Amino acid sequence: MLTKGNLEKSRMVPLNRVRIRDSLWSSYIDLVEKVVIPYQWDALNDRIQHAPPSHAIRNFKIAAGEEQGEFYGMVFQDSDVAKWLEAVAYLLATRNAPHLEKIADETIDLIAKAQHDDGYLNTYYTLKEPGKRWTNLCECHELYCAGHMIEAGVAYYYSTGKRKLLDVVCKLADHIDSVFGPEEGKLKGYDGHQEIELALMKLYEATGNVRYLNLSRFFLEERGKQPHFYDIEADKRGRTVHWENSFMIDEKEYSQAHKPVKEQDRAIGHAVRFVYMGTGMAHVAAEAGDVEMYEACKRLFANMVSRNLYITGAIGSQSRGEAFTTDYDLPNDTAYAETCASIGLIFFAYRMLMLEPKSQYADVLERALYNTVVGGMSRDGKRFFYVNPLEVNPHVCTANHIYHHVKPERQPWFGCACCPPNVARLLASLGQYIYTVQGRTIYTHLYIGGMAEIDIDGTRFVLEQETEYPWNGKIRFTVGTDSETTATLALRIPEWCDHAEVYVNGVLEPVKDLTTDGYIRLSRKWKSGDQVDLTLSMPINRVYGHPLIRHTAGKVAIQRGPLVYCLEEADNGANLHHLLLPKDAEFSLEETNRPIDGMVAIKATALRRNTDNWGDALYKREAKYTLEKVNATFIPYFAWANRGVGEMKVWVEEA
Ligand code: ZN
């Protein structure tokens, strides 16, 4: 339990100490290295034909005095370069990629040249609105861009040991610290888009400089105070706005600035901002031992996942404002469910796990990762979903404006600049989400094959994980250690699993007695060669929505392990709304004949309405159809839309 001054800290296993060798994830991380990062580099340099220019690198070149020209792009264009660098940094933690490292080093030189002597760094304000720094934080993402650059600087330092970008971002953070703060004469404000808070916490951990922790806490605690900062700064600049039809200044809820963060109690506003804020709050709570902040985190997280979370681990159900709406409002076909929001949800869940290792947080993390996040990228790494609906009919997407944000196909990179680099940095850093350590307890949150080297009081403790998860629930751990080591292995029992068995060196252990907070705890003196075999039963589960979710009433979804399944037109024909799943439907795993490479599909005995005799009438006084027995095929949700354009459906009518 977290109390002031009495906090058992969790620590992460550094990314360069985790090697992923996994049947599912290795290929995705390969794609990030071979396809996604090189493609994005070309995009940042305007070398993609027919794509609107990014101009992001040119902006830095112009700001650095290397080229002539004008700023082009969004006010937050710099963050694309920062996110790219951060993804490269994570890759370099475990992979040799000298060509990428060389480009990254040159980019860092360029960024350093674009930095002002006083530490300020932002090409938009340098080139386009000089003299107007820090005058429109509500709308203009100045601290947001700084936050992304800080994250990149910290990541690059950890993985390469090179300090240049870290020094740049320390200078930038010092400058921000000289402008903002509680002291007289400093600005009492915060960014409209949370990000600086979580970034400063990373910088604090990397440098040990407590000023960064205090600054992060200041930004969080300043948020939502009265008189309102957005109005104060708007009045100062004569109420000019950056965005046409801007509602950001007036709708304080949109950026979670409607009341102080410690008083907030529900998921509200722009979903990405909300989860980035929660990530920063949880990190501050852990490091500062701030119990009130911790209680607020728990409240916000609980409201989000118990009232506002899609079964696919997506959040933010409306397109206007990319935002939460109200409890239990989770429409399937008009869902916004941005990929970035699920990535931010993973950040938030992970920070909650660091505060309090309870499997409920890892369950949410896993749900987002295995469904929405990995589904955000195509199997060739070239196309991306920004919006992740749970039901699609391609014909209406263009015809009806309420579906205009929904795309039945993943879009090329340049169509949506924020999600692809976020997917890239999440996948490249996946290794850091698998384990956390608290004292001598090693928590395994995710079942992903590979090897981790963990420091237990100065002893090197190696944990090798072998598994075909999520296709089956068998996981083997093999221990390697220089000398016998006393430690506890805590293995997560996922929420979807009713029966787990664990053997240590072939001897069955009593799971029930060993389970707390959703983890089986195995405590002993471990020696090299010790083996733990964990089997999680992985039946095909029917899942039902809460009675207050109107959009799932009378419907059922299919889940196996962490994977939510869906129907797709490619397997089941058009008009998926005519497929019904009887209560006694029989399921079987399609292990050998897999419709999409490597993926286990599920067959079900289903019913289909045969409407051949309906005729032309739009309405009739009797239902003119018969029910036919058919076999339905379900595929993992994340794999949909890899076989051409067609219908898709997660929630199916139950007969
Ligand atoms: Zn996005």
Side-chain angles (χ1 to χ4, degrees), residues 89 150 160 195 251 360 362 413 418 526 608 626:
I150 290 169
T160 64
E195 155 70 24
E251 283 183 31
Q360 66 188 69
W413 186 291
C418 73
W526 299 94
R608 190 176 186 101
T626 52

Side-chain angles (χ1 to χ4, degrees), residues 83 272 276 322 336 338-341 343 385-387 416-422:
K83 280 193 235 170
V272 173
Y276 280 19
E322 309 175 315
Y336 198 73
E338 185 180 344
T339 309
C340 287
I343 290 169
F385 277 132
Y386 192 107
V387 164
C416 68
C418 73
C419 301
N422 244 347

Side-chain angles (χ1 to χ4, degrees), residues 94-116:
T94 53
R95 292 178 177 217
N96 241 338
H99 57 293
L100 287 178
E101 189 165 346
K102 185 168 173 286
I103 300 173
D105 284 340
E106 289 164 6
T107 308
I108 290 167
D109 290 341
L110 178 65
I111 292 167
K113 268 176 93 176
Q115 185 171 34
H116 293 239

